[in-house]
Amino acid sequence: MRYQKVPDETIRRLPRYLRALLFLQQRKTESISSQKLAEYVQLNSAVIRKDLSHFGAFGKRGTGYNVSLLSKTIRDILKLNKPQKTVLVGAGRLGTAIASFPGFKRYGFDITAIYDNSKAKIGGKIGDTTIKSTSRLADIRRSEIKMAIIATPPDAAQETADILVENGVTGILNLSSCYLKVPKRVKVRTIDLAMELSMLPYYS
Amino acid sequence: MRYQKVPDETIRRLPRYLRALLFLQQRKTESISSQKLAEYVQLNSAVIRKDLSHFGAFGKRGTGYNVSLLSKTIRDILKLNKPQKTVLVGAGRLGTAIASFPGFKRYGFDITAIYDNSKAKIGGKIGDTTIKSTSRLADIRRSEIKMAIIATPPDAAQETADILVENGVTGILNLSSCYLKVPKRVKVRTIDLAMELSMLPYYS
C-alpha cells in the first residue's frame, strides 16, 4: 500500500507518534484521543488530527484512535513493518551501548553487522554479533544493508560515511559530533547529545 | 547582559548555530556568511539572519559573521559562558559513554556527580568522578546542580526525575526512552536514538 502526498512535515512527525504509540502498547492502552496523544508528543492536537488524516486515520469521537491499528499504519508508512538490516560502525563505549539497546529492535531495526578498526575489538562480540574490521566495510553491499549508525571518533566519520554510501547505505544516524557530506539521495540524522543539553540552561 | 524578547523559536535554534560555530572554531575559520552557515545547520539563510539580528549580531557584507564573537554571544545568551554543573544518573554502558564524551565540556557542561544504584558500580570511577549511590541523590541540592542527564533503565527514570527536580534540577536530558512528568518550570529534552533512526527508511 502506498500513501501518497503525505507532506514531509508530517513524515517527520510520524516517529514521534510511533514512539508514543509503542509506549502505550506496552501499557496495554487500546485507544487514545488526539488531546492525550498531544501531551505525549508535545504538539497541538489539531496538528496531530491533520497529520493522521493524511493517511486515512480518523479518531472516533469519545474513544479516539485505535493504538495498535495506528501504530501498524505508521510502521507501514515509515517502512518499519519488516526488519531493517542495520550496520553499526564504531564499537567504542557509545557503539557498544547502542548495539545493546532494546529500542532499535522495537522499531524494526536489526543490527546485523558491527565494524571497528581496533585490533583489540575485531573478532570480539556484542551480543551475538561479531565485530569485523572496517577494512571489510564494503562487504555490506552483499548483505543489502541500507541503514547505518556511525559511532566512530569524529576524524573517521566522513571516510566511514563515504564507504557506506558507496556500498548502498541510504540512511545514516550520525553520532560522531561531526558534519557529514553525503549525496542528496542519502538522509542523515545527526544527534549531538551535548548540543541537546545546551538548550536547557537558558530556561534555568 | 540580558537579551530580551528573543523568541523561543530562535532560542531553540541557537544550539545548532553554536554547534556549527564550535566546529568552525576548531578549524580556525574566522568568519562565515549566513549562506555558508545555512548549509551546516540546514536552515534557510534568511531565518539565520533574522535569528541573529535579535541580539544585534549582523554579518558584514562580503565577509559575514565573526565566528568567535558570534560563538561567544550565543554562549552568553544560552548561559553557557560559565561551567554548568551537571549530574549523571545511570552509569551503565550509555552513561559511561556519556561521562567520557569530550562534547559536553566543549559546551560548558561539567559532569561533577555520577550516581548509580548498582553495588558493583558504587565507589568505582569514571574519569576522575566517583560513582555514588542513588540513595544519596538528594545531595545534589547542596552542590547547587541545575542540569541532569538521566541514563537509567526506563523503570527508574520517573523516580529519578522526581528526586532531581525536588532537589533543584531545572533541566534534564532524558535518554531513558521513557516519558517523564515534571513541573512546567523544568525543561526536559528526550532523545530516543531508535526514534531518530526510524525516520530514515521512508526515504530509502
Side-chain angles (χ1 to χ4, degrees), chain B residues 55-87:
Chain B
F55 43 89
F58 300 100
K60 277 186 202 143
R61 196 173 291 271
T63 57
Y65 297 94
N66 177 313
V67 169
S68 65
L69 186 65
L70 186 54
S71 157
K72 191 193 167 305
T73 307
I74 293 180
R75 277 168 182 279
D76 281 350
I77 297 174
L78 293 177
K79 301 190 194 169
L80 300 172
N81 46 6
K82 52 170 198 225
Q84 287 277 353
K85 281 191 260 180
T86 306
V87 54

Side-chain angles (χ1 to χ4, degrees), chain A residues 8 11 15 19-20 40 77 79 84 93 100 107 109 170 177 179 189-190 192 194 196-198 201-204, chain B residues 8 15 19-20 40 77 79 84 93 100 107 109 170 177 179 189-190 192 194 196-198 201-204:
Chain A
D8 243 34
I11 294 295
R19 178 167 187 266
Y40 280 106
I77 297 173
K79 300 191 195 169
Q84 287 278 353
R93 287 195 186 99
S100 327
Y107 283 85
F109 296 101
T170 60
S177 85
Y179 290 89
R189 289 285 294 169
T190 298
D192 183 328
E196 299 295 338
L197 188 58
S198 73
Y202 176 80
Y203 296 98
S204 67
Chain B
D8 243 33
R19 179 167 185 265
Y40 280 106
I77 297 174
K79 301 190 194 169
Q84 287 277 353
R93 289 196 185 96
S100 328
Y107 283 85
F109 296 101
T170 60
S177 86
Y179 290 90
R189 288 287 294 170
T190 298
D192 183 327
E196 300 295 339
L197 187 58
S198 73
Y202 176 81
Y203 298 97
S204 69

Side-chain angles (χ1 to χ4, degrees), chain B residues 5-65:
Chain B
K5 289 194 212 161
V6 177
D8 243 33
E9 277 300 306
T10 296
I11 293 296
R12 249 174 273 152
R13 284 188 286 264
L14 292 185
R16 288 164 74 179
Y17 301 144
L18 181 58
R19 179 167 185 265
L21 294 165
L22 290 175
F23 180 78
L24 292 163
Q25 277 184 297
Q26 279 187 319
R27 298 193 157 197
K28 318 270 183 227
T29 306
E30 286 179 12
S31 61
I32 187 161
S33 66
S34 54
Q35 287 79 7
K36 202 82 192 141
L37 190 55
E39 286 173 30
Y40 280 106
V41 297
Q42 294 184 300
L43 286 167
N44 189 299
S45 63
V47 171
I48 296 177
R49 283 193 299 273
K50 183 150 190 229
D51 278 347
L52 302 185
S53 72
H54 283 298
F55 43 89
F58 300 100
K60 277 186 202 143
R61 196 173 291 271
T63 57
Y65 297 94

Side-chain angles (χ1 to χ4, degrees), chain A residues 18 20 41 80 87 103 105-106 116 145 147 170 174 197:
Chain A
L18 181 58
V41 299
L80 300 172
V87 55
K105 209 153 233 165
R106 212 176 302 140
D116 200 284
I145 293 176
M147 298 293 125
T170 60
N174 171 29
L197 188 58

